[in-house]
Amino acid sequence: MDLSVPVGPGTVVYPGDPSPELQVHSTIERDGFNLLQVSMGSQSGTHVDAPFHFDADTPRIDELPLERFAGTAVVVDATAVGERGRITWEHVAPVADRLGPGTVVLLHTGWAQRYGAPAYFANPFLDADACRRMLDLGVRAFCIDAINLDETPDDDHPGEGFPVHHLIAAAGGVIGENFRNFEALDWPDPFVTFFPIALEGADGAPVRAVAMELQP
């Protein structure tokens, strides 16, 4: 199951980030081959944040172990929290016994259905206490089907200063954002991969996120 959004001129980006641009550089008719010139921010589309995104003294995307970007996923049902709703430990508790080192937490908010609409930026977000408790259990990968794991600030909502990003960075973890299709993961123990492009010294990178049903 593809968990990624496509990258192109219509890709939704965090306010102020560069929008992806795809321009034809070479064509078969003129040059004998097709080639695109690609320009985009490191946080474009479905992507992962390295700890370096919020902490200059922590690993960058090309310095992290690859096992950080794959593992058995546990879906946290947060579809009822609503606009700017807080995902608390109460949402995590039903699956807490399945969390541990190597687990990938998928925060299912349903917000991917609002992708491309203004409401996409009024996303649900992870509570700092719930984040700490999952980190204490050994979780180091957190992915959400929304633009931001923290509250996205605007003129009327100042936010909380990205506490969850800072907590996960301090623990050497990674954050995946702009995922989708979590509602389609209807089999037990989906195995998820979301390997980033190895951008040198980068704060993050786009991924092609995929969930698989592994056969015994």
Side-chain angles (χ1 to χ4, degrees):
M1 176 62 62
D2 192 351
L3 306 179
S4 312
V5 300
V7 176
T11 299
V12 174
V13 299
Y14 191 84
D17 282 4
S19 295
E21 296 181 5
L22 308 180
Q23 297 181 341
V24 175
H25 181 272
S26 303
T27 65
I28 292 174
E29 293 76 15
R30 187 185 66 210
D31 307 293
F33 56 90
N34 287 320
L35 183 70
L36 277 179
Q37 177 176 311
V38 179
S39 173
M40 62 182 174
S42 56
Q43 307 275 324
S44 295
T46 304
H47 66 273
V48 290
D49 300 352
F52 180 71
H53 186 40
F54 271 84
D55 187 339
D57 297 321
T58 54
R60 305 174 189 223
I61 200 69
D62 56 332
E63 298 170 339
L64 289 164
L66 288 177
E67 55 264 29
R68 190 75 84 236
F69 308 104
T72 300
V74 174
V75 180
V76 173
D77 185 357
T79 53
V81 300
E83 185 171 301
R84 295 190 180 275
R86 188 181 297 271
I87 304 169
T88 67
W89 183 251
E90 291 183 2
H91 300 97
V92 179
V95 295
D97 62 337
R98 298 166 53 200
L99 303 181
T103 302
V104 178
V105 168
L106 304 181
L107 298 171
H108 180 206
T109 69
W111 228 245
Q113 297 176 10
R114 294 164 174 80
Y115 186 85
Y120 192 60
F121 299 101
N123 58 282
F125 59 95
L126 181 60
D127 176 70
D129 178 68
C131 180
R132 287 189 193 95
R133 294 176 72 166
M134 286 190 280
L135 288 169
D136 288 344
L137 291 172
V139 177
R140 292 296 182 268
F142 302 80
C143 303
I144 191 168
D145 57 349
I147 190 77
N148 193 354
L149 195 61
D150 277 299
E151 184 177 13
T152 301
D154 61 20
D155 292 340
D156 299 317
H157 305 87
E160 301 177 335
F162 303 96
V164 169
H165 277 76
H166 286 288
L167 286 168
I168 296 171
V174 297
I175 294 170
E177 294 164 327
N178 289 325
F179 281 59
R180 67 175 179 177
N181 290 334
F182 288 170
E183 66 280 356
L185 304 182
D186 58 358
W187 65 91
D189 301 322
F191 189 83
V192 175
T193 64
F194 47 106
F195 294 111
I197 301 171
L199 299 178
E200 291 185 2
D203 54 277
V207 304
R208 185 66 178 267
V210 177
M212 293 168 274
E213 183 176 10
L214 301 183
Q215 301 298 321

